[in-house]
Amino acid sequence: MNSLSSVKIIDGKAAAARVLREVRIEVEQLMRVGIQPGLAVVLVGCDPASQVYVRNKVLRAEETGIRSIEHKLPADTGEAALLELIERLNADPAVNGILVQLPLPRHIDEHRVLQAIDPLKDVDGFHAENVGGLSQGREVLTPCTPAGCMRLLQDSCGELAGKHAVVIGRSNIVGKPMAALLLKAHCTVTVVHSRSSNLRELCRQADILVAAVGKPRLVDASWLKPGAVVIDVGINRIEEDGKSRLVGDVDFDSALSQVSAITPVPGGVGPMTIAYLMQNTVTAARLQRPALLSHSTFAEASCPSIS
Ligand code: GUN
């Protein structure tokens, strides 16, 4: 049990605003040498949640001085037409980053589409070359949500080396890259998932718990070690008391009695994802012109070298 007044509520909005300020400064530096970073966002179909995400990405890009190019395609767009668009974007020197909003309609092979993106423009970090590079410790573009989680952890817990981090979830977008980044930060890392037999006991051993499983309020106080730091990646919409609400994978009110720090939902991890998309776009612009690379090009969290 801890005194609730000593619990740190990690403010993702404020942290994202800091990242976006850093990005804006980098964009100004690039503009001075005649480069305005460009981000192409591709949306196929009209899934309402995806439309909101894409609109927010375009808005944040404009705020940071990044030129955003939106491509909205009808839901019945064929895979060949989408691959053709990606080829054009790959070849366009004004486009530094390409993001294809997921999920894609079922008739399109998501893997084939993601593999078609030039790895140097892959600001999602989903191309196999970047995924492999991350696990090998090469400097590559890294998925935005895990990069944002690392920044929150580094800002709020200081030294991570030697801590036991447990990641709930093994998705390609969050769980696996998160585990790779925590390893880079010298944590001892356990990945648990829906088939793990003693989920709660494993989580109770965590100094750092990252929940990315998509199950509303799965984790309560009984899953937590006293003093744990909790990063809640879940964004789940539920109906409660006749209202629609967003909740995380962690039961926030219950967890407060155990944790030393925790991210809220909303206002925790969410804003960091878009901030790191902007950071990755600037990093991609530099990667495409090696003369502009410097030792500080890669955000500590987003491009690790692992040993
Ligand atoms: N859909 C949900 N999350 C993501 C993401 O991080 N990137 C892309 N491209 N699509 C998504």
Side-chain angles (χ1 to χ4, degrees):
M1 282 293 203
N2 62 49
S3 142
L4 292 190
S5 62
S6 67
V7 176
K8 180 180 168 85
I9 310 296
I10 300 171
D11 185 345
K13 271 195 210 161
R18 285 195 293 277
V19 174
L20 290 170
R21 271 199 298 277
E22 293 162 12
V23 170
R24 205 170 299 126
I25 291 167
E26 277 200 74
V27 171
E28 283 162 11
Q29 285 168 352
L30 287 170
M31 302 262 276
R32 280 200 282 277
V33 293
I35 296 162
Q36 181 180 23
L39 172 66
V41 181
V42 181
L43 174 63
V44 185
C46 44
D47 173 63
S50 293
Q51 284 177 325
V52 172
Y53 289 135
V54 165
R55 194 176 326 125
N56 287 337
K57 286 167 184 174
V58 168
L59 282 174
R60 288 293 102 71
E62 281 160 8
E63 282 166 20
T64 48
I66 290 170
R67 201 167 69 89
S68 69
I69 310 116
E70 208 176 333
H71 293 268
K72 285 189 172 168
L73 307 178
D76 62 357
T77 300
E79 187 177 297
L82 180 55
L83 291 172
E84 240 172 67
L85 170 63
I86 290 172
E87 272 318 301
R88 279 207 311 278
L89 297 172
N90 282 342
D92 184 345
V95 172
N96 301 109
I98 302 170
L99 179 138
V100 177
Q101 186 65 30
L102 304 177
L104 287 167
R106 288 151 78 98
H107 65 276
I108 297 179
D109 181 336
E110 186 176 294
H111 178 71
R112 197 173 297 150
V113 169
L114 295 177
Q115 286 302 106
I117 296 173
D118 180 340
L120 292 180
K121 297 190 176 187
D122 170 34
V123 284
D124 260 326
F126 294 164
H127 191 288
E129 190 166 317
N130 288 325
V131 174
L134 174 61
S135 73
Q136 289 176 331
R138 284 189 285 117
E139 294 196 330
V140 291
L141 294 164
T142 299
C144 304
T145 300
C149 292
M150 288 305 292
R151 176 71 177 258
L152 292 178
L153 282 170
Q154 281 153 350
D155 286 357
S156 51
C157 334
E159 185 56 60
L160 302 179
K163 300 255 166 68
H164 183 195
V166 175
V167 180
I168 316 177
R170 53 179 160 173
S171 70
N172 292 332
I173 295 183
V174 182
K176 288 177 195 155
M178 189 71 221
L181 289 169
L182 287 161
L183 265 181
K184 144 72 181 158
H186 311 293
C187 291
T188 303
V189 181
T190 303
V191 180
V192 300
H193 47 79
S194 54
R195 301 283 187 92
S196 299
S197 52
N198 44 355
L199 207 49
R200 186 190 313 233
E201 286 66 35
L202 290 166
C203 290
R204 273 189 76 83
Q205 295 168 26
D207 302 308
I208 295 167
L209 185 72
V210 180
V213 74
K215 290 208 184 331
R217 296 183 181 138
L218 174 73
V219 174
D220 65 18
S222 71
W223 292 51
L224 299 170
K225 178 174 173 175
V229 174
V230 172
I231 302 291
D232 189 352
V233 185
I235 302 179
N236 309 292
R237 188 162 287 285
I238 60 161
E239 296 298 319
E240 195 171 63
D241 305 329
K243 287 191 198 135
S244 171
R245 299 190 57 183
L246 282 185
V247 299
D249 292 346
V250 178
D251 182 337
F252 184 83
D253 293 338
S254 166
L256 282 178
S257 65
Q258 291 290 86
V259 298
S260 61
I262 184 168
T263 56
V265 176
V269 172
M272 292 300 272
T273 298
I274 294 190
Y276 269 88
L277 175 63
M278 302 308 138
Q279 175 64 67
N280 275 355
T281 303
V282 169
T283 300
R286 290 186 189 273
L287 278 172
Q288 288 151 37
R289 292 172 182 78
L292 296 175
L293 280 176
S294 72
H295 69 281
S296 62
T297 293
F298 289 91
E300 184 64 25
S302 74
C303 296
S305 76
I306 299 173
S307 59

